[in-house]
Amino acid sequence: MPRVSQQYKDDQRGEILAAARRCFLRDGFHRTSMQDVFTEAGKSAGAVYRYFPKKEDMIVAVAAQNLDDVTGVLRAALARGGGGEHGVGEVMAELLEAVTGLHRDRELASMAVLVWSEAQRNPELAERLAAASAEMSAEVAGLVRGRQESGIWAGAPAEALAQAILALLPGFLFNLALSGPDGVSGFPDAVRTLFPR
């Protein structure tokens, strides 16, 4: 019997996660059964269990995808604004615009709301959210320190300012999940106005 390639395994896992994501968005984490995922993915129980022994593993994996997407977008925005070329407002506005695109493609904001709720019950998920938040705050703190070196925002530690700035993101995601892209279309420009260069 020929060996299965890593690419094949990755593709299978990706298909299962995409199916689980659709089920979770449609029915929520707790109303979705493993059978729902088997049916949505068009795969046998054995094929799904090979990658995800329990539903909680799928929940954590879908949440990790969301977190990786947002963290990746933030890093890209910071890289474009390297050396202070872009201000905090521009970086945050780019983040909100990119997140809106991800929401259009995969309902990222709706999944974020589900994940936040689940994190109240799932310690592993809460730990992943806290780690991602700390990582993003550390990245934004570097940009804040650049502002502080030029004499702006000298009244508070860079880490605390970064956390306060990033607190805009959950509010934005919540509004995006409830109102859709049209309901938050003015947010990026508002952030640019609040944090001018």
Side-chain angles (χ1 to χ4, degrees):
M1 177 184 261
R3 281 183 15 158
V4 175
S5 72
Q6 186 59 46
Q7 184 61 51
Y8 176 83
K9 290 177 186 177
D10 292 346
D11 290 347
Q12 291 296 301
R13 185 178 188 279
E15 287 176 22
I16 293 164
L17 269 186
R21 183 182 195 91
R22 290 190 300 272
C23 289
F24 294 153
L25 286 166
R26 184 175 55 240
D27 299 322
F29 290 139
H30 296 286
R31 289 188 59 210
T32 296
S33 68
M34 288 299 276
Q35 184 61 52
D36 293 332
V37 177
F38 308 154
T39 302
E40 184 77 22
K43 302 202 180 292
S44 68
V48 173
Y49 284 127
R50 183 175 302 126
Y51 297 96
F52 301 101
K54 50 191 197 297
K55 184 171 69 173
E56 287 73 21
D57 297 329
M58 281 189 266
I59 292 170
V60 169
V62 167
Q65 279 181 332
N66 253 33
L67 291 170
D68 290 347
D69 286 345
V70 174
T71 303
V73 165
L74 176 61
R75 283 195 179 122
L78 286 167
R80 279 190 295 281
E85 184 180 315
H86 287 84
V88 170
E90 186 59 34
V91 167
M92 288 303 294
E94 284 184 26
L95 174 63
L96 301 185
E97 289 165 347
V99 163
T100 301
L102 290 170
H103 180 72
R104 281 189 182 103
D105 293 343
R106 297 189 302 122
E107 296 188 63
L108 181 134
S110 301
M111 181 56 68
V113 173
L114 288 173
V115 168
W116 297 332
S117 176
E118 183 64 17
Q120 301 303 303
R121 291 184 284 280
N122 184 324
E124 182 182 357
L125 202 49
E127 189 176 305
R128 282 182 180 252
L129 285 172
S133 178
E135 186 179 324
M136 288 191 293
S137 290
E139 303 234 5
V140 172
L143 188 60
V144 170
R145 279 189 205 92
R147 300 285 306 240
Q148 289 180 323
E149 288 167 7
S150 65
I152 301 169
W153 295 345
E159 293 76 14
L161 286 167
Q163 287 177 317
I165 291 164
L166 280 170
L168 292 168
L169 182 60
F172 176 77
L173 288 168
F174 184 75
N175 280 281
L176 179 56
L178 289 179
S179 305
D182 291 341
V184 296
S185 61
F187 278 46
D189 284 337
V191 169
R192 287 181 179 101
T193 302
L194 284 170
F195 300 105
R197 285 189 194 178

